[in-house]
């Protein structure tokens, strides 16, 4: 019997989408469970080449969440999967800028209300 | 009507992050009553979370026999948070800057950076087991989005 994922993961052709809540991503334990669920799916579904993280629900982001995102990106890269972060709030964007993580992540520049970023590239 | 008094809070808690993290809700409520800008709420929530997790996990090493003291005040234009653990303390100047190129993709070490960047004043006591964070009300006007 498979366990219920920590966050809904939506698979569409070659990409996977997830929209974690602050409760999931900002605590170390739940964030680790979230990334573990994603990696499990990426390992299982080899056709997936891109992961879209919708952060529109995050009014703020903790360093624990940043750590998990860094780990997730490293492990996903190892599986040949790229990460795109989109629908980011101003508060979260500020944290990415302060930590300079906007340089190592693909963070879409569109406003958080712009749903067009849900469309995959290419 | 906007409260003119200064709200004060002082509580000693166990080394449990689920208890510690919840304490910021009272402070956020008081900031909301005083109509602090949303940006200040998010920044304060983040700084508190980082500081309380540091105190419990790194300071007290999650030892349930050790306590954390949380003291907060909130006025119309300034708030102060002081968090004290029972650990050995640390020297914040020894933490490498995680923004260095070689550390950019290494997890960890961003909590203190975030606190110092988003709060207006940050002080540690000499032992390094107490942090005091001060935030002044931002001058920004609330955006339309905040009114939704």
């Amino acid at each position: 019997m498979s366990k219920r994922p920590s966050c809904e993961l939506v698979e569409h052709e070659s990409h996977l989408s997830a929209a974690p809540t602050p409760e999931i991503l900002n605590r170390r334990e739940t964030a680790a469970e979230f990334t573990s669920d994603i990696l499990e799916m990426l390992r299982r579904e080899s056709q997936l080449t891109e992961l879209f993280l919708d952060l529109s629900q995050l009014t703020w982001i903790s360093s624990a969440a940043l750590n998990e995102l860094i780990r997730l990106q490293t492990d996903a890269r190892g599986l040949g999967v790229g990460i795109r972060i989109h629908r980011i709030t101003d508060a979260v964007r500020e944290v990415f800028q302060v930590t300079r993580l906007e340089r190592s992540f693909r963070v879409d520049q569109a406003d958080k209300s712009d749903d067009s970023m849900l469309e995959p590239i290419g | 009507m906007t409260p003119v008094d200064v709200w004060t809070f002082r509580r000693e808690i166990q080394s449990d992050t689920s208890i510690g993290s919840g304490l910021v809700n009272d402070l956020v409520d008081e900031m909301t009553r005083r109509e602090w800008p949303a940006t200040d709420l998010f920044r304060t929530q983040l700084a508190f979370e980082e500081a309380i997790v540091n105190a419990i996990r790194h300071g007290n090493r999650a030892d349930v026999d050790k306590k954390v003291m949380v003291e907060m005040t909130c006025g119309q234009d300034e708030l102060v948070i002081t968090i004290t653990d029972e650990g050995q303390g640390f020297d914040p100047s020894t933490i490498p800057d995680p923004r260095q190129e070689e550390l950019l993709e290494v997890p960890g070490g961003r909590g203190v950076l975030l606190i110092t960047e988003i709060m207006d004043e940050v002080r540690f006591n000499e032992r390094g087991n107490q942090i005091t964070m001060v935030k002044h009300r931002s001058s920004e006007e609330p955006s339309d989005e905040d009114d939704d």
Side-chain angles (χ1 to χ4, degrees):
Chain A
M1 191 177 79
S2 61
K3 69 181 177 66
R4 189 170 175 267
S6 58
C7 169
E8 188 183 11
L9 305 177
V10 180
E11 196 181 331
H12 179 73
E13 296 175 355
S14 64
H15 73 271
L16 184 66
S17 301
T21 61
E23 292 75 23
I24 287 174
L25 204 55
N26 281 335
R27 297 278 152 71
R28 189 171 66 167
E29 296 79 5
T30 49
E33 193 182 339
F34 168 69
T35 55
S36 168
D37 289 344
I38 287 178
L39 288 168
E40 189 183 313
M41 183 168 263
L42 294 180
R43 286 190 191 100
R44 202 171 55 228
E45 308 290 340
S46 58
Q47 80 282 5
L48 295 171
T49 57
E50 196 147 40
L51 169 63
F52 287 78
L53 290 178
D54 174 349
L55 300 190
S56 58
Q57 297 182 76
L58 264 62
T59 50
W60 61 285
I61 188 166
S62 70
S63 65
L66 296 177
N67 291 340
E68 279 307 319
L69 291 178
I70 292 168
R71 288 192 189 99
L72 178 60
Q73 174 154 272
T74 304
D75 292 348
R77 263 192 209 137
L79 297 168
V81 177
I83 294 183
R84 278 180 65 180
I85 292 175
H86 67 120
R87 302 187 78 208
I88 193 169
T89 59
D90 290 343
V92 173
R93 188 179 302 283
E94 181 187 20
V95 169
F96 272 84
Q97 287 167 347
V98 163
T99 56
R100 296 192 192 153
L101 284 174
E102 89 270 26
R103 288 162 55 183
S104 55
F105 282 94
R106 258 177 94 188
V107 182
D108 289 330
Q109 296 303 309
D111 182 77
K112 67 175 178 179
S113 59
D114 183 0
D115 285 341
S116 66
M117 301 313 289
L118 287 166
E119 294 301 318
I121 289 175
Chain B
M1 191 173 137
T2 306
V4 292
D5 58 315
V6 174
W7 173 79
T8 62
F9 177 100
R10 180 181 161 89
R11 187 176 299 171
E12 190 176 65
I13 62 161
Q14 283 187 317
S15 295
D16 181 333
T17 53
S18 62
I19 298 171
S21 296
L23 297 182
V24 75
N25 295 332
D26 291 342
L27 175 58
V28 168
D29 286 347
E30 292 300 324
M31 292 174 74
T32 304
R33 282 179 64 213
R34 290 167 173 79
E35 299 175 342
W36 281 63
T39 309
D40 289 341
L41 264 63
F42 300 145
R43 288 176 180 164
T44 301
Q45 194 169 12
L46 170 56
F48 181 92
E49 174 73 10
E50 298 298 335
I52 197 79
V53 168
N54 279 349
I56 292 170
R57 292 225 171 97
H58 302 300
N60 286 354
R61 298 188 181 279
D63 181 343
V64 290
D65 293 329
K66 290 184 176 174
K67 303 282 192 282
V68 174
M69 176 63 78
V70 177
E71 296 163 279
M72 302 186 279
T73 64
C74 180
Q76 198 57 33
D77 296 310
E78 181 185 89
L79 66 87
V80 181
I81 303 168
T82 300
I83 296 176
T84 311
D85 61 59
E86 294 185 314
Q88 299 287 316
F90 79 112
D91 179 356
S93 68
T94 61
I95 299 174
D97 189 339
R99 295 171 297 188
Q100 295 174 75
E101 204 63 46
E102 63 271 25
L103 296 179
L104 210 49
E105 297 197 6
V106 176
R110 289 175 176 80
V112 173
L113 167 72
L114 287 174
I115 292 170
T116 53
E117 289 287 333
I118 61 180
M119 297 301 272
D120 294 313
E121 294 172 41
V122 179
R123 299 187 293 271
F124 293 89
N125 66 353
E126 196 172 344
R127 177 171 150 187
N129 69 328
Q130 180 184 78
I131 184 171
T132 299
M133 305 175 285
V134 180
K135 183 108 200 84
H136 304 297
R137 176 192 287 267
S138 299
S139 55
E140 68 179 18
E141 293 294 319
S143 67
D144 292 342
E145 191 177 61
D146 296 331
D147 297 334
D148 289 343

